[in-house]
Amino acid sequence: MWKVPKFIKQSYLVFLLALLLYSSFGFSFSRTEATTSTGALGPVTPKDTIYQIVTDRFFDGDPSNNKPPGFDPTLFDDPDGNNQGNGKDLKLYQGGDFQGIIDKIPYLKNMGITAVWISAPYENRDTVIEDYQSDGSINRWTSFHGYHARNYFATNKHFGTMKDFIRLRDALHQNGIKLVIDFVSNHSSRWQNPTLNFAPEDGKLYEPDKDANGNYVFDANGEPADYNGDGKVENLLADPHNDVNGFFHGLGDRGNDTSRFGYRYKDLGSLADYSQENALVVEHLEKAAKFWKSKGIDGFRHDATLHMNPAFVKGFKDAIDSDAGGPVTHFGEFFIGRPDPKYDEYRTFPERTGVNNLDFEYFRAATNAFGNFSETMSSFGDMMIKTSNDYIYENQTVTFLDNHDVTRFRYIQPNDKPYHAALAVLMTSRGIPNIYYGTEQYLMPSDSSDIAGRMFMQTSTNFDENTTAYKVIQKLSNLRKNNEAIAYGTTEILYSTNDVLVFKRQFYDKQVIVAVNRQPDQTFTIPELDTTLPVGTYSDVLGGLLYGSSMSVNNVNGQNKISSFTLSGGEVNVWSYNPSLGTLTPRIGDVISTMGRPGNTVYIYGTGLGGSVTVKFGSTVATVVSNSDQMIEAIVPNTNPGIQNITVTKGSVTSDPFRYEVLSGDQVQVIFHVNATTNWGENIYVVGNIPELGSWDPNQSSEAMLNPNYPEWFLPVSVPKGATFEFKFIKKDNNGNVIWESRSNRVFTAPNSSTGTIDTPLYFWDN
Ligand code: NOJ
Ligand code: NOJ
Ligand code: CA
Ligand code: CA
């Protein structure tokens, strides 16, 4: 049985007191202060606007950490020796740090930014990474981006100390800005040099000293301490070149292997790929993520989710969210092209793991419609409709125009008009917008490469708060906070052509209509459009910033119509209708997290959620911890595992349901193995008597097993710890025909440790 930990109860009392104080001063309560037991603000919601910061590339607030002890100073981009990164050799460190982000909080806050995603804050490999070029020269790189983990329990000293990190967290939180950290659980660092015939490199992983109980030891400042007195504060944990504990897959580069096995088990660019089926690895990574959660962060951007075993990811996310402090944000990088044969895997990843996607589908469609004009605005509209049908939690997907791994959008679209149009559409689309740092300053890279785009903001701009792009973000982040049609609404295309798009976002009676023309120099006339908006005049939320003006709705023969209007070059109009939905009818806009076990905290967002409410998961009543008009904090009740719709009832009115998956317990991995021959087009799946195995429904079975060594198949599956369950292997073909093993059900028991993993024996398919 799950019990409320004492410290949560205590902090809840403090919270109640704070609430009382607030109300006695006549403020209405809103969640802008740290409220969870870790000091976090709570997860990023669709009302937020995220700003993506490559920490080294933003602002140098503390030159004293530019060349930390032991660091080769020639790896700092400072040819003139003034200890200031000059933004020229972008493969080297530039000097940006935690303090630099603190310094720019007013700039971020004034722009309307309510969450930042920063680089992985922990220690990275700090030695040169050499890339041999065909002309014989050598490119020298650093781990400035944070993707070469070395020790998860210490900060990257180029960015600052743990104290600096805590100051950053507090400063952000005091300004209502949530903190999301990049986190890599797929690999350590590069262990072979792909530009030098895979010559051995680093890849080593370190950990702090441990005390007698096996706990890591930190000093009063939160830095790893020399507990065993050997003069070092770290110990080698794992080395891919001498992998005694099986920490790594060690299969070498993926090359052109496009199988699911290749993506998940082989190296991504020679980065030492963790064996996430190994309990030691699971334990270490879960410990690392919980360590950072305990520092009061609000969420994780998970690197390389395409390359990870989804059973691991599901258990990882569950372990993080089940730890003290409640659910945090999880979105990950399932990198796909468009179109991509992996689309279905990508599309279903959030409901399979609980980790949302960065919306690569949206990104490509936006690039094509607003960037290179290779697709029409109508097809951009089609993408919006298709994805809102395809994605279960479309408002939780994280949308973007570009990021650190792709060409800067400005390079693709140097014309302000379509550039601004894209930004305005991003800010009003379903999902949570992520703005790549410098977008608001029109940062223009020297070429189309990702590295050229990772410019040093400090030497490239003057942080001008008066640019049009800055103001577009400011105005629309504000609208996003205030009109739930944007945060929680549906999407409908009202009108589209090759160059023009008119779409509507709607949450019950609330509506936002966006009308946009991507062509800089052409004017288009939009015909009269049917609407459910009341008769009246609607002003442009952007106040004419992108040439928009007001719109009028008239009644024509009993039907309300938006009068015909024109869109001049680059014109964007945002019309908002934002009536109160009242406090009597509960309406759910979103739920975070969407997957968890009995006892977990869940946040239900929407309107009319204050007062006396009953929350149910299916037909089971949940405990309400606190609630206000806009949010309920509840506890997942002890109920049947599987999909249990959440509803909120107030008086005699019940909200629309919201899909939630109740897990039957702490998740661990069972790695199934079977030897089975199949006909062309057939795959092997596992199905069984627990929801994680589809409750015997072949349509809800595991994903297809992997077969790098056909006719042997294997697949890690996330199941509740300690569960004894029945299962069978099945064959399915492309048409969904199912062949069952014709034998009695097989039985297996999952490991009892919460980070456990276990291999089944190699079974043989039974005809
Ligand atoms: C994706 C990251 O975003 C990218 O920049 C990085 O190099 C790889 N994952 C490997 O961590
Ligand atoms: C259908 C399967 O055919 C069988 O093997 C299994 O035992 C039952 N479902 C369980 O109800
Ligand atoms: Ca610095
Ligand atoms: Ca992997």
Side-chain angles (χ1 to χ4, degrees):
M1 248 304 282
W2 187 90
K3 294 213 192 76
V4 183
K6 230 190 197 138
F7 57 89
I8 294 191
K9 282 193 188 146
Q10 277 165 3
S11 67
Y12 178 54
L13 269 178
V14 173
F15 165 80
L16 273 184
L17 261 169
L19 188 62
L20 264 171
L21 273 173
Y22 264 110
S23 32
S24 62
F25 286 106
F27 295 116
S28 71
F29 170 66
S30 74
R31 206 187 177 92
T32 53
E33 300 288 319
T35 51
T36 81
S37 67
T38 60
L41 283 187
V44 176
T45 79
K47 288 197 169 187
D48 286 312
T49 300
I50 309 173
Y51 188 81
Q52 181 193 347
I53 295 175
V54 176
T55 305
D56 178 61
R57 298 301 153 89
F58 193 55
F59 194 72
D60 183 358
D62 180 3
S64 77
N65 58 25
N66 288 354
K67 295 165 189 167
F71 173 71
D72 171 354
T74 66
L75 296 175
F76 185 67
D77 185 23
D78 182 24
D80 42 7
N82 65 356
N83 197 30
Q84 170 76 59
N86 74 0
K88 291 290 184 324
D89 187 345
L90 296 176
K91 302 186 294 305
L92 304 180
Y93 268 103
Q94 299 297 331
D97 46 33
F98 299 144
Q99 182 60 47
I101 301 172
I102 296 174
D103 291 347
K104 292 297 168 193
I105 286 176
Y107 171 85
L108 297 172
K109 188 176 182 179
N110 188 32
M111 204 187 338
I113 298 304
T114 54
V116 289
W117 149 21
I118 66 168
S119 302
Y122 47 75
E123 186 181 286
N124 268 237
R125 159 181 175 179
D126 211 16
T127 48
V128 67
I129 299 159
E130 294 182 322
D131 277 3
Y132 287 72
Q133 305 299 296
S134 44
D135 65 4
S137 64
I138 301 174
N139 280 345
R140 302 173 80 232
W141 290 78
T142 59
S143 310
F144 71 87
H145 43 59
Y147 295 112
H148 292 257
R150 183 178 187 280
N151 183 346
Y152 288 103
F153 298 87
T155 57
N156 181 330
K157 290 298 176 293
H158 296 266
F159 301 162
T161 62
M162 187 56 87
K163 270 186 121 169
D164 295 330
F165 182 80
I166 298 300
R167 283 192 304 108
L168 170 62
R169 174 204 69 189
D170 289 343
L172 289 168
H173 286 173
Q174 275 152 19
N175 287 283
I177 301 176
K178 296 166 185 170
L179 173 57
V180 175
I181 64 168
D182 214 317
F183 198 88
V184 188
S185 47
N186 180 63
H187 51 261
S188 54
S189 66
R190 209 167 84 173
W191 71 296
Q192 294 182 326
N193 189 339
T195 68
L196 192 65
N197 296 316
F198 300 99
E201 267 187 60
D202 196 328
K204 294 190 184 70
L205 196 60
Y206 292 81
E207 62 177 351
D209 279 7
K210 289 179 185 167
D211 66 15
N213 299 320
N215 296 318
Y216 293 144
V217 185
F218 301 94
D219 67 17
N221 296 323
E223 302 293 331
D226 181 14
Y227 184 76
N228 59 17
D230 66 354
K232 290 182 303 183
V233 295
E234 59 177 24
N235 305 284
L236 183 65
L237 173 66
D239 177 358
H241 301 288
N242 180 26
D243 191 11
V244 282
N245 289 316
F247 245 71
F248 303 95
H249 286 131
L251 296 174
D253 263 17
R254 180 173 66 82
N256 48 23
D257 181 348
T258 57
S259 67
R260 283 176 302 139
F261 178 79
Y263 276 108
R264 294 178 194 172
Y265 289 82
K266 295 185 179 173
D267 294 336
L268 164 64
S270 292
L271 295 157
D273 201 63
Y274 292 136
S275 180
Q276 295 162 334
E277 301 72 41
N278 177 339
L280 288 173
V281 173
V282 176
E283 190 194 344
H284 190 73
L285 294 171
E286 289 188 358
K287 206 193 291 177
K290 289 184 200 171
F291 172 80
W292 285 99
K293 182 186 181 187
S294 78
K295 301 290 179 192
I297 62 166
D298 305 287
F300 295 87
R301 178 270 188 186
H302 297 283
D303 190 51
T305 46
L306 160 64
H307 303 276
M308 299 208 267
N309 155 7
F312 161 79
V313 176
K314 182 178 178 182
F316 187 57
K317 183 264 171 203
D318 173 59
I320 297 169
D321 279 3
S322 299
D323 209 33
V328 294
T329 294
H330 298 272
F331 59 89
E333 182 213 25
F334 199 110
F335 203 111
I336 57 163
R338 183 169 180 267
D340 193 306
K342 299 185 290 302
Y343 176 75
D344 264 338
E345 243 188 288
Y346 156 87
R347 175 180 69 77
T348 57
F349 194 78
E351 67 256 27
R352 288 187 291 126
T353 62
V355 173
N356 285 298
N357 284 328
L358 279 155
D359 196 345
F360 280 88
E361 191 71 4
Y362 185 98
F363 150 67
R364 306 257 181 217
T367 301
N368 295 344
F370 296 95
N372 55 38
F373 285 26
S374 65
E375 286 187 69
T376 63
M377 292 293 267
S378 293
S379 60
F380 181 80
D382 292 345
M383 176 282 302
M384 296 260 249
I385 298 307
K386 177 176 160 46
T387 51
S388 65
N389 293 327
D390 281 359
Y391 301 175
I392 293 188
Y393 304 111
E394 81 241 37
N395 281 318
Q396 291 188 26
T397 182
V398 176
T399 53
F400 57 98
L401 299 175
D402 55 1
N403 66 27
H404 61 305
D405 291 326
V406 300
T407 307
R408 258 195 194 267
F409 183 65
R410 185 58 172 173
Y411 189 84
I412 299 174
Q413 184 48 275
N415 187 308
D416 282 355
K417 287 182 175 174
Y419 184 84
H420 291 143
L423 196 52
V425 169
L426 177 76
M427 291 297 300
T428 50
S429 295
R430 88 288 180 288
I432 308 172
N434 178 58
I435 312 280
Y436 188 32
Y437 78 97
T439 298
E440 74 285 8
Q441 300 297 337
Y442 313 95
L443 279 189
M444 177 59 91
S446 57
D447 63 47
S448 67
S449 66
D450 56 357
I451 183 66
R454 300 178 190 178
M455 299 161 77
F456 191 21
M457 188 95 166
Q458 181 160 13
T459 52
S460 312
T461 76
N462 56 5
F463 292 86
D464 181 356
E465 299 192 11
N466 284 306
T467 70
T468 301
Y470 186 95
K471 290 186 198 154
V472 167
I473 297 166
Q474 190 179 52
K475 289 195 155 54
L476 296 179
S477 59
N478 192 42
L479 181 67
R480 176 169 276 275
K481 268 180 227 154
N482 295 315
N483 189 331
E484 283 83 2
I486 294 189
Y488 310 138
T490 53
T491 304
E492 196 182 315
I493 306 301
L494 301 183
Y495 181 79
S496 72
T497 67
N498 286 355
D499 294 310
V500 159
L501 183 68
V502 183
F503 66 93
K504 175 176 83 170
R505 307 292 318 286
Q506 181 160 13
F507 183 65
Y508 297 95
D509 284 346
K510 295 178 184 248
Q511 293 191 30
V512 169
I513 292 178
V514 181
V516 40
N517 171 12
R518 73 172 179 184
Q519 285 293 350
D521 307 311
Q522 292 172 42
T523 298
F524 298 96
T525 300
I526 313 302
E528 197 174 63
L529 301 168
D530 284 1
T531 183
T532 53
L533 286 171
V535 167
T537 302
Y538 297 82
S539 59
D540 172 28
V541 173
L542 289 169
L545 192 60
L546 302 179
Y547 324 106
S549 53
S550 58
M551 167 275 272
S552 64
V553 171
N554 299 299
N555 188 283
V556 183
N557 301 325
Q559 168 67 54
N560 283 4
K561 305 238 182 212
I562 296 173
S563 305
S564 171
F565 58 94
T566 58
L567 290 175
S568 65
E571 180 170 341
V572 179
N573 295 270
V574 179
W575 297 304
S576 167
Y577 177 57
N578 197 9
S580 165
L581 298 181
T583 56
L584 299 179
T585 305
R587 290 176 167 113
I588 303 181
D590 202 10
V591 170
I592 297 175
S593 167
T594 57
M595 182 189 280
R597 346 169 183 153
N600 282 173
T601 295
V602 61
Y603 299 114
I604 302 166
Y605 304 94
T607 62
L609 304 178
S612 173
V613 292
T614 304
V615 174
K616 285 186 183 169
F617 285 63
S619 54
T620 310
V621 175
T623 302
V624 172
V625 177
S626 69
N627 65 322
S628 64
D629 185 62
Q630 309 248 314
M631 192 186 89
I632 299 174
E633 179 177 339
I635 303 293
V636 181
N638 215 327
T639 183
N640 292 335
I643 307 302
Q644 296 287 358
N645 285 328
I646 298 178
T647 52
V648 178
T649 303
K650 199 165 172 178
S652 58
V653 198
T654 297
S655 71
D656 287 337
F658 193 96
R659 181 188 186 275
Y660 186 90
E661 182 171 349
V662 177
L663 301 174
S664 37
D666 196 345
Q667 299 287 304
V668 299
Q669 291 181 62
V670 169
I671 301 143
F672 290 88
H673 295 269
V674 65
N675 181 306
T677 53
T678 45
N679 294 319
W680 184 249
E682 281 175 347
N683 278 295
I684 306 289
Y685 302 76
V686 194
V687 63
N689 69 345
I690 51 176
E692 286 81 357
L693 293 172
S695 303
W696 290 123
D697 176 355
N699 296 317
Q700 305 292 324
S701 69
S702 73
E703 64 176 318
M705 296 181 76
L706 307 168
N707 61 351
N709 300 309
Y710 178 84
E712 283 183 21
W713 305 69
F714 85 97
L715 187 74
V717 177
S718 182
V719 303
K721 101 176 178 194
T724 296
F725 53 85
E726 297 179 8
F727 71 99
K728 277 185 178 179
F729 297 105
I730 55 175
K731 293 181 182 176
K732 282 197 265 186
D733 67 15
N734 295 334
N735 303 319
N737 298 313
V738 177
I739 301 171
W740 291 78
E741 284 187 290
S742 56
R743 52 160 291 135
S744 56
N745 297 337
R746 300 180 186 275
V747 180
F748 198 75
T749 300
N752 241 316
S753 140
S754 69
T755 53
T757 63
I758 192 170
D759 288 90
T760 71
L762 175 63
Y763 296 109
F764 285 80
W765 172 270
D766 217 335
N767 265 318

